[in-house]
Structure formats: structure tokens, C-alpha cells
């Protein structure tokens, strides 16, 4: 029979169970850093790529809005990390991901600094604001973010619809905050731009569906990312948008809102031409 010795004046405390860290092995987790040895490591690489792309696009838009270096830094950081931050807060994952993985802050700060100091609006295809390079990296980031957002909810055992919602939030809410801060029409909820949030929903849904079917991580991760990328491409190429309300009257838009819509429409047409040109080559 075992005896337990207790030091006088000291209370017995139950041992705390070890809490799994953010990088403990899990089939629906990620490696800490990018690697080509697993699908999870490749996904981490795409996550970094998307972070850089989102930070650059946020900085560019903030610059066009007339913001100074601090404003561009804030908007670039929010664009890159805002969706994941909101997701973590909704799921109760604190500290949020960029506090536990500080490399994301460095990625954002370096990208913002380079973009702010070296971006030139005179850059032409394929390097310009609406060029195929920024479009391609943004699309890959969209696919990766949608899958990663769903993975975070999956690890908590949440319902499928919540997992898909988390994927959509991760991929799009940073852009929503960017547009609001820059006083632009929120791009993903207007019909004058090709579908964007729907592509994130598609990627997250495919990932969750393949997981339910019991497929290995490599198939469900790549299936989710590629489905989002494919839908974004087809939506851009064929100008696929969601229907608007039957009572919508574009003639009643304010001049500022109409101007914002016109700018987005011009940018969309420019991107479509560049993407089509790149594919035809």
C-alpha cells in the first residue's frame, strides 16, 4: 500500500493535465515552419506565401488611400493577420497565432517595409498591382487560409458548418477590414467583383468533406487548396458573380460609392486580362 507524504502546512494540489501545444503532432495541425516533407509542411509554406501577398496588397491599397508609413503598416498587418486573429478569438485560442508564432509579425513587417519603399505604380505586367504574380500568390494564400481556418475548428471537434465558417473568416475578414480602413466598398460582398468568399467556402468545404470520408491529410489538404484555387481562376476568367437583390438600383448609389465600384470594376477587368494572357502563354 502506497503512502503519500505531505509537507506540513502545504496543501495537496492535483496535477494539471498537460495541455497540447500549438505545434504538437496532430493530423490536422501544421508544422512550425515550412517543409516539403509533408502536406502539412507545404501548407505552412503556402500560409507564409499568402501572408506576404496579403500584407503587400494591404500596403498598396493603404498607400493609394494616402496613408503614411504607420498607416500602411497597420493596414498591411491587418490584411495579412486579421482573419486568423478573428478566428482565434472566436474559437478561444489565446494568445492568437501571431503572438505564439512571432515569425508572422516579421513576415508582415519585412513585406510592408519593402512594399512601402520599393513599390512603384508604374510597374507593369506581371509585377504590377493587378499583375498575375500578386493575383497568383493571393489565390494560393486564399486556398491555404481557408483550409487552415477549417483545420483549427476541426481540432476542437466543432460541427462541419462551423469549420467551414472558420475557413471563410480566416481567408476573407482581413480583406474586409482593409477595405473599411481604406474607405473602399467591401470587395467580397459586392457583385461588381468576382466571387471571393465563395471560393474560400468551397476550399474549406472540400477539406471538411474529404476528412469525413476518411482520406489521408495529403488528399484533404491539397483537395481543399486546389478547389479554392480552381474556383477563383474560373470566377475571374468567366466573371462569375453572385446575384444581387431584385430591388437594387445602381442609379441611387452615392457618387463616392459609384466611384469605388468603378475602380474595383476596372481592377477586375485588368486582372482578368492578365490572367487570361498568362494562361494562354
Amino acid at each position: 500500500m502506497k503512502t503519500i507524504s505531505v509537507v506540513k502546512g502545504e496543501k495537496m494540489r492535483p496535477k494539471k493535465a498537460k495541455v497540447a501545444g500549438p505545434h504538437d503532432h496532430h493530423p490536422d495541425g501544421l508544422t512550425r515552419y515550412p517543409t516539403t516533407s509533408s502536406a502539412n509542411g507545404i501548407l505552412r509554406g503556402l500560409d507564409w506565401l499568402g501572408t506576404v501577398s496579403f500584407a503587400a496588397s494591404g500596403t498598396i491599397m493603404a498607400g493609394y488611400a494616402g496613408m503614411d508609413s504607420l498607416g500602411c503598416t497597420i493596414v498591411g498587418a491587418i490584411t495579412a493577420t486579421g482573419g486568423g486573429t478573428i478566428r482565434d478569438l472566436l474559437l478561444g485560442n489565446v494568445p492568437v497565432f501571431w503572438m505564439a508564432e512571432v515569425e508572422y509579425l516579421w513576415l508582415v513587417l519585412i513585406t510592408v517595409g519593402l512594399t512601402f519603399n520599393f513599390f512603384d505604380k508604374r510597374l507593369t505586367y506581371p509585377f504590377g498591382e493587378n499583375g498575375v504574380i500578386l493575383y497568383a500568390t493571393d489565390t494560393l494564400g486564399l486556398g491555404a487560409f481557408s483550409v487552415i481556418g477549417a483545420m483549427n475548428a476541426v481540432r476542437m471537434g466543432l460541427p462541419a458548418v462551423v469549420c467551414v465558417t472558420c475557413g471563410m473568416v480566416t481567408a476573407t475578414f482581413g480583406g474586409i477590414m482593409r477595405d473599411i480602413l481604406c474607405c473602399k466598398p467591401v470587395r467580397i460582398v459586392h457583385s461588381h467583383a468576382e466571387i471571393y468568399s465563395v471560393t474560400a467556402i468551397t476550399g474549406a468545404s472540400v477539406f471538411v468533406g474529404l476528412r469525413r470520408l476518411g482520406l489521408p491529410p495529403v488528399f484533404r489538404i491539397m483537395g481543399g487548396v486546389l478547389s479554392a484555387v480552381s474556383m477563383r481562376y474560373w470566377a475571374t476568367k468567366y466573371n462569375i458573380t453572385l446575384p444581387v437583390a431584385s430591388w437594387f438600383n445602381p442609379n441611387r448609389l452615392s457618387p463616392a460609392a459609384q466611384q469605388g465600384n468603378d475602380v474595383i470594376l476596372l481592377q477586375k477587368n485588368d486582372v482578368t486580362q492578365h490572367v487570361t494572357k498568362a494562361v494562354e502563354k
Side-chain angles (χ1 to χ4, degrees):
M1 183 175 177
K2 287 186 177 181
T3 58
I4 301 176
S5 60
V6 181
V7 179
K8 189 175 180 181
E10 193 176 291
K11 294 182 180 179
M12 290 184 62
R13 295 183 179 88
K15 286 187 177 181
K16 293 183 179 179
K18 182 183 177 183
V19 179
H23 309 296
D24 288 358
H25 177 72
H26 190 285
D28 291 306
L30 295 176
T31 59
R32 177 67 188 255
Y33 300 104
T35 174
T36 58
S37 61
S38 67
N40 306 66
I42 293 173
L43 184 61
R44 177 67 82 180
L46 294 177
D47 185 32
W48 282 26
L49 179 66
T51 299
V52 169
S53 181
F54 280 35
S57 68
T59 304
I60 292 170
M61 182 177 286
Y64 278 124
M67 295 190 186
D68 59 17
S69 57
L70 178 60
C72 288
T73 301
I74 292 173
V75 173
I78 287 176
T79 307
T81 63
T85 300
I86 293 176
R87 174 206 66 217
D88 282 353
L89 292 175
L90 290 173
L91 295 177
N93 290 336
V94 289
V96 296
F97 75 99
W98 52 266
M99 292 182 176
E101 300 165 339
V102 72
E103 55 267 23
Y104 282 94
L105 281 182
W106 288 114
L107 280 174
V108 168
L109 292 175
I110 291 171
T111 301
V112 169
L114 292 174
T115 304
F116 185 84
N117 287 288
F118 297 107
F119 176 77
D120 190 333
K121 66 179 181 180
R122 293 172 294 180
L123 288 173
T124 57
Y125 174 87
F127 301 102
E129 176 191 3
N130 300 317
V132 71
I133 290 180
L134 194 59
Y135 172 86
T137 54
D138 181 271
T139 301
L140 289 170
L142 168 70
F145 285 12
S146 65
V147 171
I148 291 171
M151 291 171 79
N152 275 265
V154 162
R155 289 198 300 271
M156 300 185 70
L158 297 174
V161 66
V162 177
C163 297
V164 172
T165 301
C166 285
M168 186 269 292
V169 168
T170 304
T172 63
F173 273 43
I176 290 176
M177 290 187 283
R178 173 202 64 202
D179 292 345
I180 293 173
L181 289 171
C182 293
C183 300
K184 302 288 185 182
V186 179
R187 188 172 185 271
I188 71 166
V189 296
H190 289 84
S191 63
H192 47 250
E194 80 280 357
I195 55 175
Y196 193 90
S197 56
V198 175
T199 62
I201 292 172
T202 300
S205 298
V206 169
F207 169 79
V208 172
L210 294 178
R211 185 178 185 276
R212 288 289 181 91
L213 293 175
L215 270 67
V218 62
F219 291 106
R220 56 194 191 227
I221 289 173
M222 293 307 163
V225 172
L226 292 177
S227 61
V229 169
S230 299
M231 175 162 279
R232 175 88 193 280
Y233 167 73
W234 290 111
T236 303
K237 183 175 176 64
Y238 295 107
N239 193 28
I240 300 173
T241 60
L242 294 177
V244 298
S246 59
W247 58 88
F248 169 66
N249 183 0
N251 296 323
R252 298 184 64 182
L253 287 173
S254 66
Q258 185 61 55
Q259 183 181 8
N261 291 350
D262 292 341
V263 169
I264 292 176
L265 187 59
L266 288 172
Q267 290 175 337
K268 183 185 73 169
N269 293 336
D270 198 16
V271 169
T272 302
Q273 292 174 4
H274 288 167
V275 171
T276 303
K277 185 192 301 184
V279 172
E280 288 176 351
K281 285 183 178 180

